[in-house]
Amino acid sequence: MAIGGLSLLLQIHWVKQLVLIMGALILTWFGIQTLRAMKGRGVHEQAPVQHAPSGRSSFWYGVLLTLANPLTVLFWAGVFGSLLASGTFVHSKELFLFATGCLLSTLLFLGLVALLAAYLARFFRPVWLNVFHGLSGVFLIGFAIVLLQKAV
């Protein structure tokens, strides 16, 4: 989207507001889903033994969250917009290689983070995993509120 001129579209006030509002709604949904992952148990209750989340599910959650983040969209729109405007990429092959490198490095980073999270989750009690889920959900919803404030 960034290569296709999204940076020009984002200069239109109502388009930027729409992106921020949609991002806030998606982040709110992610926050609610994260809070629901606590399965209604209180932090102090004894929880049954759970299996740690798989690296695969953590990876796809991270990918979806990254794609839903409007600041990610704005960042890449700015990067590609400024590089295209400056004439840095003379040939489309250079642009393709740069975009491919950005995509692969992002996927590699998210993959490593997901594997690390899945590995470390084995060492935490289910009660602490509930605390992490709760904090993550609250922060996602808080970030959504900040985006809504910027949109309005």
Side-chain angles (χ1 to χ4, degrees):
M1 291 188 321
I3 296 171
L6 183 65
S7 60
L8 293 175
L9 283 176
L10 290 173
Q11 292 177 5
I12 302 170
H13 180 69
W14 70 267
V15 173
K16 187 174 181 178
Q17 279 187 312
L18 182 65
V19 168
L20 291 172
I21 290 168
M22 292 302 296
L25 291 174
I26 292 169
L27 290 174
T28 300
W29 182 79
F30 273 111
I32 291 169
Q33 294 302 315
T34 302
L35 290 172
R36 289 182 69 207
M38 294 173 60
K39 298 181 183 176
R41 290 191 304 260
V43 173
H44 299 294
E45 292 179 26
Q46 184 66 15
V49 176
Q50 294 177 336
H51 296 290
S54 71
R56 183 177 297 163
S57 65
S58 297
F59 171 78
W60 287 113
Y61 187 81
V63 168
L64 290 174
L65 191 58
T66 300
L67 291 174
N69 184 348
L71 293 179
T72 300
V73 174
L74 293 173
F75 170 78
W76 287 112
V79 167
F80 279 102
S82 64
L83 289 173
L84 289 172
S86 71
T88 301
F89 298 117
V90 179
H91 303 290
S92 59
K93 180 181 177 183
E94 294 170 337
L95 178 62
F96 174 77
L97 290 174
F98 179 76
T100 302
C102 291
L103 178 65
L104 291 176
S105 63
T106 300
L107 292 175
L108 177 65
F109 174 76
L110 290 174
L112 292 174
V113 168
L115 288 174
L116 180 64
Y119 176 74
L120 291 177
R122 297 177 186 163
F123 300 106
F124 291 101
R125 294 182 187 159
V127 171
W128 280 105
L129 291 177
N130 267 348
V131 170
F132 291 141
H133 278 277
L135 289 174
S136 298
V138 168
F139 280 117
L140 286 170
I141 293 170
F143 184 61
I145 291 168
V146 170
L147 284 180
L148 279 175
Q149 288 175 341
K150 287 184 179 188
V152 177

